Amino acid sequence: MNAVQLERIRTGKGFVAALDQSGGSTPKALLQYGVPESSYSGEEAMYALVHEMRTRIIKSPAFDSKYILGAILFENTMDREIDGQLTADYLWEKKGIVPFLKVDKGLAEQADGVQLLKPIDGLDALLKRAVERRIFGTKMRSLIKEASPSGIRQVVEQQFAIGKQIAAAGLVPIIEPEVDIASPDKTQSEKLLKAELLAQLAALAPDVKVMLKLSIPIEDNFYAELIDEPHVLRVVALSGGYSQAEANERLARNHGLIASFSRALSEGLSAGQSDEAFNEMLSESVRNIYEASIK
């Protein structure tokens, strides 16, 4: 593990950019960027276009380590290059931004009020490749739809079981048990989730470090105990479908919680924009998200 990157993530000011849309979310990300499905044919063409979009974001002067601590990549992006360098190397060596990798294969069907992770076939091989490509950490997303004690326990137990495997490979896992912002019992789900997270964290070996990626809570500063927990490097927040303005406003009320936004980060960006307009829009988003993250 890179000690400089570890210290940057642990103590740095800024947020984590989520550039990890994959599978079914890729067409949506391209459509938001102004690229309809009718403009490409096949998976390879789709991923080439989304890499162009991500490259434009990463190379923008607005995508600056003054504001951004890390960036989460999709496996396909990790394997591609920017200006002749692997994406993770470009991020760290040219931008000073710590690279992470999305490792999950999507969500299983809903059961007991939650969606667990699908089996991650070949995880050990992927983690080995991630280490070789100088990735710092990983992330994996589950989804909580209802305040089900047994369902939420299953989500957290699965996340930590895989997280320990990731930590053993020398990477920092981002544990992401998202609570659906549309859930009618989101407050109760968050109470159950926090209790399960604290129990799992208390059982970790002292040298294991993790990050948590959580929905912005209903009750301000509800996750303060998690932010202060010794095993936790950072707690980052997903935008979860909120607009950038609402996500920023909610985030700013939670001391110590920093952003890890995806859709909210790229809001307003378009393939048809001039570089000047694109960079100006991204710069405004980055500054606003940064300001919400450091309050």
Side-chain angles (χ1 to χ4, degrees):
M1 186 181 299
N2 185 312
V4 176
Q5 292 178 346
L6 179 68
E7 187 63 14
R8 175 155 175 75
I9 292 299
R10 189 177 70 84
T11 64
K13 287 187 176 182
F15 67 93
V16 176
L19 305 176
D20 59 328
Q21 301 96 337
S22 62
S25 65
T26 302
K28 295 176 185 176
L30 284 172
L31 185 61
Q32 180 183 339
Y33 185 55
V35 180
E37 289 189 56
S38 60
S39 65
Y40 56 88
S41 177
E43 190 173 87
E44 179 56 34
M46 177 183 73
Y47 284 131
L49 284 169
V50 83
H51 187 64
E52 287 180 16
M53 177 187 77
R54 289 167 178 155
T55 296
R56 193 181 189 192
I57 291 171
I58 290 168
K59 290 184 68 174
S60 169
F63 204 78
D64 190 325
S65 61
K66 179 180 178 181
Y67 308 105
I68 300 169
L69 297 174
I72 305 172
L73 309 174
F74 171 47
E75 182 181 352
N76 187 282
T77 308
M78 177 185 74
D79 291 334
R80 292 179 184 263
E81 295 183 349
I82 298 177
D83 290 354
Q85 284 187 288
L86 288 167
T87 305
D89 289 339
Y90 185 92
L91 276 168
W92 181 241
E93 294 175 12
K94 298 295 187 184
K95 290 284 190 168
I97 292 171
V98 180
F100 292 82
L101 175 68
K102 168 188 162 70
V103 296
D104 70 74
K105 303 299 183 183
L107 300 170
E109 293 296 318
Q110 183 173 332
D112 199 8
V114 302
Q115 288 183 268
L116 296 170
L117 298 165
K118 288 181 179 178
I120 308 176
D121 297 330
L123 179 59
D124 284 331
L126 177 59
L127 296 177
K128 183 175 183 293
R129 192 151 52 87
V131 170
E132 291 170 350
R133 294 186 184 279
R134 291 167 289 281
I135 295 290
F136 173 79
T138 68
K139 87 117 193 183
M140 51 200 171
R141 171 181 170 267
S142 310
L143 184 60
I144 297 167
K145 306 282 283 188
E146 301 172 10
S148 164
S150 57
I152 292 173
R153 182 171 298 115
Q154 288 182 72
V155 162
V156 177
E157 286 178 348
Q158 182 190 46
Q159 284 271 348
F160 273 82
I162 299 171
K164 290 173 187 175
Q165 183 179 352
I166 292 165
L171 299 160
V172 172
I174 300 178
I175 306 292
E176 184 181 2
E178 176 182 351
V179 178
D180 191 334
I181 64 169
S183 172
D185 49 12
K186 185 171 184 283
T187 299
Q188 182 60 21
S189 291
E190 289 169 349
K191 290 178 180 178
L192 294 167
L193 175 61
K194 184 169 76 169
E196 293 293 339
L197 289 171
L198 287 169
Q200 288 289 334
L201 288 165
L204 288 178
D207 62 332
V208 175
K209 300 299 181 185
V210 304
M211 295 171 63
L212 303 175
K213 183 168 180 176
L214 306 173
S215 306
I216 303 171
I218 296 293
E219 179 185 328
D220 294 346
N221 297 308
F222 183 69
Y223 290 133
E225 291 169 85
L226 296 173
I227 292 169
D228 293 337
E229 213 282 340
H231 294 93
V232 178
L233 290 178
R234 296 304 280 262
V235 181
V236 302
L238 54 101
S239 50
Y242 291 127
S243 68
Q244 184 191 120
E246 184 171 4
N248 286 342
E249 190 273 329
R250 289 172 177 269
L251 179 67
R253 300 199 306 260
N254 287 268
H255 179 72
L257 189 64
I258 66 173
S260 179
F261 293 170
S262 174
R263 282 168 293 183
L265 172 64
S266 58
E267 187 177 292
L269 299 180
S270 171
Q273 287 171 322
S274 67
D275 286 346
E276 182 181 3
F278 180 93
N279 293 334
E280 184 177 343
M281 176 67 71
L282 182 59
S283 179
E284 182 178 0
S285 293
V286 165
R287 288 196 306 270
N288 288 341
I289 295 168
Y290 173 82
E291 290 296 332
S293 293
I294 64 171
K295 287 182 179 176

